[in-house]
Amino acid sequence: MKKLCLGIESTAHTFSVGILDFNGNTYSLINDIFIPDQGGLHPVLVREQHLNNFMKIINRALLEAKISIKDVDLIAFSQSPGLGPVLRVGALVARMLSQLLNIPIVGVNHCIAHIEIGRLMCKIEDPLTLYVSGGNTVVSAYESSRYQIFGETLDLAIGNMIDSFARDAGLQHPGGPKIEKLAFESKRNYIPLPYVVKGMDLSFSGLYTAAKYLLQSEEYDQKYNLGDIAFSLQETAFGMLAEVTERALAHTEKKEVLLTGGVAANKRLQSMIEYISKEHEARFEVVPLKYAGDNGAMIGWAGILRYQEQGGHKISETMIKPKERMDQITIPWRA
């Protein structure tokens, strides 16, 4: 019987359970996603949904994998970074299962998990990674036993910025796919917007404020429409991402580029990052959508990698770390 890991993701809107073996084969992946009626994510409401549904999600994952909970050999959970009240739900469930079943537990850094599931699924060895989601915008690569950060957002994450603008425009959550569709169907009328790259870092708050102002301007629906703003917003934001990614690629001289996170599904962003990859003769890969967004399989796989090198964590070591950065953590399985 192959050894199995149950991975639990609970950093933000998604409570997800993935079951996979120690060779990286996925047996099941079940997600429960909090969708706000209005506004952004309220941690207390997200926590309540996760608490109400976690048992149902675990049971569905076990059923799909055609196993019993007693067949699980390892529990992995997202320990950092994320929304504190929401992270606690996953940690609580993971500790409970570990102690009830008397099996090892491993806490996982969510950002590192995104890279490792990408390496696994795309069969890619040593990439420069652009990780873009609702909560994170990071350019990273493996150097000196860690995933070093070569560029990141100084304020809003790219996904958060796009979703916030979509809400202001009256579009239902999730806003990213709707903005992408509007931009694709637009007449490509570019409106200059703040383009803020500071060294290797990015700032999206000025871009968001300017785009929001355009919605409220007297010229809206006269000189330009929502499609024009969506197009301009994407071109500006993705241009910033491409610039920082290309500079990091030139610096690290990596021969592989990996695009992951929920925003990785955007075809325009894919085309921009693929272009700069080709310019530097680097192989370009996009993590499959099922594994690019937040999911339990990526937590399980990162947990397996760490467990095989270092064993499980003590219960006292499983406290959540909402602000932990990926470059603070050593990566023994790649040494």
Side-chain angles (χ1 to χ4, degrees):
M1 183 78 177
K2 289 184 177 179
K3 291 188 108 180
L4 299 175
C5 176
L6 186 147
I8 298 171
E9 156 60 21
S10 68
T11 56
H13 52 54
T14 301
F15 187 91
S16 175
V17 174
I19 297 173
L20 62 168
D21 64 30
F22 280 36
N23 293 321
N25 301 303
T26 304
Y27 293 79
S28 64
L29 180 54
I30 304 295
N31 299 334
D32 180 61
I33 302 174
F34 175 86
I35 298 177
D37 294 328
Q38 58 183 18
L41 295 182
H42 195 298
V44 173
L45 297 179
V46 182
R47 182 193 67 189
E48 289 304 309
Q49 178 165 314
H50 290 356
L51 280 171
N52 290 335
N53 294 340
F54 78 83
M55 203 64 236
K56 179 174 67 178
I57 302 305
I58 291 171
N59 285 331
R60 283 178 58 194
L62 293 168
L63 189 65
E64 185 175 291
K66 298 177 181 175
I67 64 165
S68 158
I69 190 67
K70 293 179 181 178
D71 295 323
V72 175
D73 301 287
L74 174 67
I75 300 291
F77 72 99
S78 46
Q79 188 174 21
S80 65
L83 301 172
V86 186
L87 279 171
R88 284 190 193 95
V89 176
L92 179 71
V93 174
R95 288 188 206 109
M96 177 183 69
L97 290 175
S98 171
Q99 291 178 307
L100 282 173
L101 300 169
N102 194 28
I103 58 176
I105 184 172
V106 178
V108 169
N109 179 276
H110 173 94
C111 305
I112 291 172
H114 269 292
I115 296 174
E116 292 302 341
I117 199 71
R119 289 178 63 228
L120 175 72
M121 293 297 167
C122 298
K123 295 180 173 57
I124 198 166
E125 188 59 35
D126 185 31
L128 175 79
T129 301
L130 174 59
Y131 164 35
V132 279
S133 68
N136 295 278
T137 303
V138 178
V139 180
S140 67
Y142 179 76
E143 295 281 351
S144 305
S145 303
R146 296 170 191 263
Y147 280 118
Q148 305 291 355
I149 294 175
F150 289 92
E152 61 188 319
T153 179
L154 297 170
D155 40 48
L156 299 176
I158 180 73
N160 184 9
M161 186 274 289
I162 292 172
D163 282 341
S164 296
F165 172 77
R167 283 196 300 271
D168 294 333
L171 303 173
Q172 284 189 322
H173 186 88
K178 297 175 180 65
I179 293 296
E180 180 181 10
K181 186 170 186 289
L182 282 165
F184 180 76
E185 294 173 350
S186 75
K187 293 180 179 178
R188 308 294 198 271
N189 174 27
Y190 181 77
I191 307 162
L193 290 169
Y195 183 104
V196 186
V197 173
K198 299 181 178 182
M200 288 293 290
D201 296 327
L202 315 108
S203 173
F204 292 111
S205 57
L207 171 58
Y208 164 64
T209 301
K212 183 179 179 181
Y213 175 77
L214 288 175
L215 289 173
Q216 302 162 346
S217 170
E218 292 179 359
E219 294 179 336
Y220 183 61
D221 268 348
Q222 295 177 21
K223 289 188 176 180
Y224 55 83
N225 58 29
L226 183 55
D228 296 329
I229 306 175
F231 170 73
S232 305
L233 183 77
Q234 277 200 173
E235 291 299 299
T236 305
F238 296 166
M240 291 160 60
L241 288 170
E243 177 187 334
V244 171
T245 303
E246 182 171 25
R247 204 177 297 143
L249 188 57
H251 172 73
T252 61
E253 298 183 336
K254 298 290 185 184
K255 291 304 174 188
E256 299 166 319
V257 177
L258 185 68
L259 179 61
T260 191
V263 185
N266 189 291
K267 294 291 190 288
R268 178 58 178 148
L269 178 59
Q270 289 179 16
S271 69
M272 283 189 175
I273 305 303
E274 183 175 23
Y275 178 82
I276 64 165
S277 300
K278 285 181 177 177
E279 287 285 297
H280 291 262
E281 299 181 341
R283 174 185 162 200
F284 173 68
E285 293 287 346
V286 183
V287 179
L289 184 58
K290 182 178 180 180
Y291 298 101
D294 297 352
N295 68 88
M298 73 180 196
I299 301 299
W301 180 238
I304 288 167
L305 293 173
R306 188 164 296 281
Y307 175 73
Q308 288 178 324
E309 290 293 328
Q310 297 180 321
H313 285 146
K314 298 174 184 175
I315 291 296
S316 61
E317 297 173 328
T318 61
M319 299 297 289
I320 62 165
K321 302 173 183 177
K323 301 291 185 183
E324 185 176 56
R325 292 168 58 87
M326 64 194 297
D327 57 359
Q328 297 173 330
I329 302 168
T330 55
I331 312 296
W333 58 90
R334 291 199 59 186

